[in-house]
């Protein structure tokens, strides 16, 4: 039987470690089909960019934040897929812009 609590604890520990030990961070914004904006903070891991924080600002003005501190809820969750700015429709934003949305 799968131990979901252990898996969740390991996932939290992994993303927390990435966040706390990051020396280089990348910040992006993405628009979705419903008019919402997604803000992403990612760090390089083994040649890929792993998302450690993401914030969705919905077209209705609601903010949903995901990180190791809050992996998921009924609205969504922190992606487990690496991102590729060369392929994914992402716009680079400043760390300040990301922080402004993150702490809103």
């Amino acid at each position: 039987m799968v131990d979901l609590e252990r898996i969740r604890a390991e996932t939290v520990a992994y993303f927390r470690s990435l966040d706390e030990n990051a020396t280089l961070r990348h910040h992006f914004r993405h628009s979705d089909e419903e008019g919402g904006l997604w803000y992403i903070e990612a760090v390089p891991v083994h040649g890929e960019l792993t998302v450690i924080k993401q914030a969705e600002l919905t077209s209705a003005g609601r903010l949903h934040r995901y990180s190791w501190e809050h992996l998921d809820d009924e609205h969504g969750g922190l992606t487990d897929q690496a991102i590729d700015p060369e392929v994914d429709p992402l716009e680079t934003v400043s760390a300040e812009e990301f922080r402004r949305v993150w702490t809103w």
Side-chain angles (χ1 to χ4, degrees):
M1 179 160 213
V2 176
D3 183 351
L4 296 179
E5 287 183 32
R6 180 185 55 78
I7 292 170
R8 186 168 186 86
E10 289 173 357
T11 301
V12 167
Y14 174 72
F15 284 107
R16 181 177 184 175
S17 175
L18 291 179
D19 187 19
E20 291 177 348
N21 296 304
T23 57
L24 179 62
R25 296 170 189 262
H26 300 271
H27 301 91
F28 304 98
R29 177 176 57 211
H30 167 71
S31 301
D32 65 24
E33 309 81 43
E34 290 83 36
L37 292 173
W38 289 84
Y39 289 84
I40 297 167
E41 182 173 78
V43 298
V45 178
H46 305 298
E48 296 184 317
L49 286 178
T50 299
V51 176
I52 59 169
K53 293 180 183 167
Q54 69 188 47
E56 177 194 11
L57 183 57
T58 69
S59 59
R62 298 215 39 213
L63 180 65
H64 304 286
R65 289 183 290 243
Y66 305 102
S67 70
W68 65 267
E69 295 176 287
H70 181 76
L71 288 176
D72 55 28
D73 57 27
E74 65 275 6
H75 302 287
L78 185 65
T79 184
D80 62 353
Q81 300 297 307
I83 58 171
D84 183 349
E86 301 296 318
V87 176
D88 298 323
L90 300 170
E91 174 186 352
T92 300
V93 297
S94 68
E96 292 78 25
E97 181 176 351
F98 175 84
R99 274 190 233 106
R100 186 174 59 248
V101 172
W102 185 257
T103 59
W104 178 60

